[in-house]
Amino acid sequence: MDLHLKNLFDRFQEQFGTGPGLGPGSGACLMNVEGIAPNFIKSMFKSAAALYRTDPWKRLCPGHLFGVRVGKDTDWSAKKQPFPCVQFIGGDGGDIGFHMFRSQNDAKKMTGTRETIQVPNVELLRVTYERDSVMFPSNRKMIKTLSPEASGNDRFPVIDVARCTSSGTLRFRNATLEELRFVYAFMKAIALVHPLLQVDKEGGPKWSTLMYFEPFIETVDVQWPQEMSNGYDLVAVTISHPPGQAYEEKASSTATSRSSTPTKYAEPSKEETFLDIRVHSNGSLRQCAACEKEIHSDQALCCGRCRAVIYCSSVCQKQHLKETHKTMCGLYKAMMEREEELAMNIFMFPSAADHPCKWLESLGIHQKGMWRRKCSCYSHCPFGLLPVKGGLWDSWGGLDDEEFPRDSSFHHHVRDGMSSPILLSGWSEYYNLRSLPLSSPVADILSHPLTVYYILTTLNISSKNLLLKGKEVIVHYIGPEGELDWLPAFAEVGHLLNGLGNVQIVMVGPEVPSNLSGTTSGIGSRVRVNLVRGVYQEEATYLPSPHAIIALNCGLEDYSSWGGALSSIKSMGIPAFFTDQSEISCNDAKQVLRSAGLHITHPVTPNPFRSPVKHQGPSINLPCYSNGFVLGVNT
């Protein structure tokens, strides 16, 4: 096809679509919505751009229907959810966007094998990402006036409500302000949760090309834009696949939330009995959850419902159930059911480290290099002051050359004709990129630098944009301990930047040795690490202003030790991200953050760069991984 015809055909596709959309734009313009504020329009475009960057169309198509619930039914004028069913369109060509339906039945009626079926008198809200060059003049003028954030390469969302008449013609109208609030909450929530969908390889017929997913339901807190909060900062948004799954609805205990918060963790009924189930293990000493008495794990009992809590006797089990466990058992059960999902079965080395010395010995790296901080054998040596022989081979404990990442950049990793930071989705992608064997345990140490890199390039949009522009990002890293001896591993952050941007990491904490405080280390050409000894709230005002604040494995549920630091974070208004070992500790941390006046804007989600090595608590058997879960505030 010659160039002229190709350009003409591309423009035809942009204007009229070839996929499951409803054809050309309607000319609806957000500026014509009654009562809308320009700042809210900008917020809509910002959330649409954030969703676009997650590229849901890679996996989702019209056949994948999602249920949506934003707050309570009584929050909406018709006393029901406006558009509780959603599908993504355009993954196979045509109009890129998503359709929102009044019901699941409407969605099924209008979903054809190729095109969207025009069903009379069925109304749907559509959001399509159109290029500036083919937009109606009214939308183009609005974009020029407000300068909202673009999605991808000069695409902008166009939002309207469509209805097919009985005569077969299409009619369009502007969405109402209430409907736009619903769309906003959905876009914020789905961008966070759709990457969590797990493929169900046995879920559909073998001949089908449609990807099937395991049933999914997740609730996240979405922060309303300031101009739309109406006195309530947060709203609970539930996304389910397929639609129709339901939570028990309980009254919200959060004063700032307008809605009742759905929960999938049901408490055991009063009549429910708990069986005495013996724990089969390696005979190590554990602690009773009630009396903390030490007992060999092969002699212990565990809760027959959640199978997470360890007891020395049925007496302690009944007492603990009555006092505290009854309210947590459902949550523990849900966590234990996620154990297989959270485990990283791709690796070919032992994934449990109840006895770190034995684990390291099995790998041949005990008391070697950076691994010396993975057990207690060098606890007498202050953090950051392990004796160093020098050389990357020694730092990685003498692993074979192909088993640890080399100190080299990715010269051949070019996208769209130019180098840019390498965006990673998980360990499989990273190991493949570095050509590392899955028997290499380096992920256990690399969890720290790659979690920082993941936060800066995926979760924190402002730092990502700075890096894409080749600028420097400053990180305040609170409470380093073992990381002080793992600095050679942070060189990988610089290599993944792939020639674009720089990162300055200011590590602040009481464990920084006095003789290292105030020093700066160049970790490769694109990463600098500054070490500062002290308490964060006392040192923060003397530090360069950060673009992100990060605390890994923070133990945030202990408010007494974090109160001052959280007050400083709140006063700065800088995006902050925290990780912890388990989902439970992160959920406890959410309450601490909220009590400190901080807004949760990134929900508790599994960290794709958590350590693959599981650590088991003395009295509980929940999945616990270093940097296991991440949540964010103030973003």
Side-chain angles (χ1 to χ4, degrees), residues 69-72 75-76 181 184-186 188-189 192 219-238 252-262 589-603 631-635:
R69 180 180 177 83
V70 180
K72 297 183 294 186
D75 294 338
W76 307 99
R181 293 178 80 244
Y184 175 86
F186 166 74
K188 294 285 285 186
L192 297 171
T219 298
V220 297
D221 287 337
V222 168
Q223 183 174 3
W224 291 118
Q226 185 175 2
E227 62 278 0
M228 293 297 296
S229 62
N230 292 336
Y232 300 94
D233 294 329
L234 299 175
V235 64
V237 182
T238 300
S252 172
S253 59
T254 306
T256 58
S257 178
R258 173 174 194 170
S259 65
S260 61
T261 303
K590 285 172 65 174
Q591 304 306 317
V592 172
L593 292 168
R594 283 174 176 155
S595 65
L598 294 164
H599 301 302
I600 310 296
T601 53
H602 186 280
L631 73 159
V633 300
N634 277 349
T635 50

Side-chain angles (χ1 to χ4, degrees), residues 244-277:
Q245 299 189 64
Y247 281 110
E248 287 187 33
E249 189 175 273
K250 297 182 179 181
S252 172
S253 59
T254 306
T256 58
S257 178
R258 173 174 194 170
S259 65
S260 61
T261 303
T263 175
K264 54 184 168 184
Y265 307 125
E267 296 179 5
S269 63
K270 293 181 179 179
E271 295 79 13
E272 187 167 3
T273 59
F274 288 80
L275 304 175
D276 289 352
I277 296 180

Side-chain angles (χ1 to χ4, degrees), residues 16-148:
F16 300 102
T18 60
L22 287 176
S26 64
C29 179
L30 292 185
M31 270 296 194
N32 296 330
V33 176
E34 183 179 355
I36 199 166
N39 284 342
F40 182 57
I41 296 176
K42 290 184 177 182
S43 296
M44 288 291 295
F45 276 66
K46 185 176 181 180
S47 62
L51 172 58
Y52 188 87
R53 283 190 292 270
T54 66
D55 202 3
W57 302 276
K58 276 186 176 179
R59 299 199 298 167
L60 305 180
C61 63
H64 299 122
L65 298 180
F66 291 86
V68 187
R69 180 180 177 83
V70 180
K72 297 183 294 186
D73 291 347
T74 53
D75 294 338
W76 307 99
S77 58
K79 306 303 179 185
K80 64 180 180 180
Q81 304 288 313
F83 293 98
C85 187
V86 182
Q87 66 179 192
F88 284 86
I89 63 167
D92 296 327
D95 307 316
I96 293 288
F98 58 88
H99 290 164
M100 307 185 76
F101 299 90
R102 299 288 188 188
S103 68
Q104 184 177 353
N105 189 42
D106 285 352
K108 290 180 177 179
K109 286 180 183 178
M110 297 192 71
T111 303
T113 56
R114 186 67 184 91
E115 301 286 339
T116 295
I117 301 171
Q118 296 185 11
V119 179
N121 300 318
V122 172
E123 193 174 57
L124 74 154
L125 186 149
R126 62 179 193 164
V127 178
T128 52
Y129 291 88
E130 296 182 2
R131 295 196 185 279
D132 177 37
S133 58
V134 299
M135 296 181 74
F136 275 75
S138 56
N139 281 302
R140 196 180 304 168
K141 182 178 179 181
M142 177 189 67
I143 289 168
K144 185 176 180 180
T145 302
L146 296 180
S147 299

Side-chain angles (χ1 to χ4, degrees), residues 470-517:
K471 298 183 178 181
E472 182 177 68
V473 168
I474 299 174
V475 178
H476 285 184
Y477 192 113
I478 305 178
E481 292 183 347
E483 301 95 308
L484 298 171
D485 293 297
W486 299 332
L487 294 186
F490 280 79
E492 200 67 352
V493 172
H495 296 318
L496 290 169
L497 290 175
N498 202 29
L500 207 60
N502 299 280
V503 176
Q504 179 183 359
I505 304 174
V506 184
M507 292 188 173
V508 187
E511 298 297 337
V512 175
S514 300
N515 60 327
L516 294 181
S517 184

Side-chain angles (χ1 to χ4, degrees), residues 370-516:
M370 294 185 287
W371 301 101
R372 288 172 289 179
R373 278 293 175 226
K374 286 294 177 178
C375 66
S376 60
C377 292
Y378 276 79
S379 59
H380 61 280
C381 187
F383 291 110
L385 296 179
L386 282 176
V388 178
K389 293 181 180 180
L392 201 58
W393 182 79
D394 285 314
S395 294
W396 284 112
L399 292 172
D400 291 340
D401 287 348
E402 72 277 4
E403 289 188 310
F404 62 89
R406 311 304 297 173
D407 188 13
S408 59
S409 56
F410 304 91
H411 297 295
H412 303 294
H413 200 280
V414 177
R415 185 178 182 181
D416 298 329
M418 60 183 295
S419 63
S420 62
I422 300 170
L423 303 182
L424 298 172
S425 60
W427 285 120
S428 294
E429 192 173 356
Y430 172 76
Y431 267 59
N432 182 60
L433 185 69
R434 274 298 189 195
S435 300
L436 296 173
L438 294 175
S439 58
S440 169
V442 294
D444 192 32
I445 286 178
L446 285 172
S447 171
H448 289 73
L450 292 196
T451 295
V452 171
Y453 184 78
Y454 172 71
I455 289 171
L456 297 182
T457 58
T458 302
L459 303 186
N460 188 19
I461 301 304
S462 60
S463 63
K464 177 182 178 180
N465 289 337
L466 286 172
L467 292 171
L468 290 173
K469 294 175 183 177
K471 298 183 178 181
E472 182 177 68
V473 168
I474 299 174
V475 178
H476 285 184
Y477 192 113
I478 305 178
E481 292 183 347
E483 301 95 308
L484 298 171
D485 293 297
W486 299 332
L487 294 186
F490 280 79
E492 200 67 352
V493 172
H495 296 318
L496 290 169
L497 290 175
N498 202 29
L500 207 60
N502 299 280
V503 176
Q504 179 183 359
I505 304 174
V506 184
M507 292 188 173
V508 187
E511 298 297 337
V512 175
S514 300
N515 60 327
L516 294 181

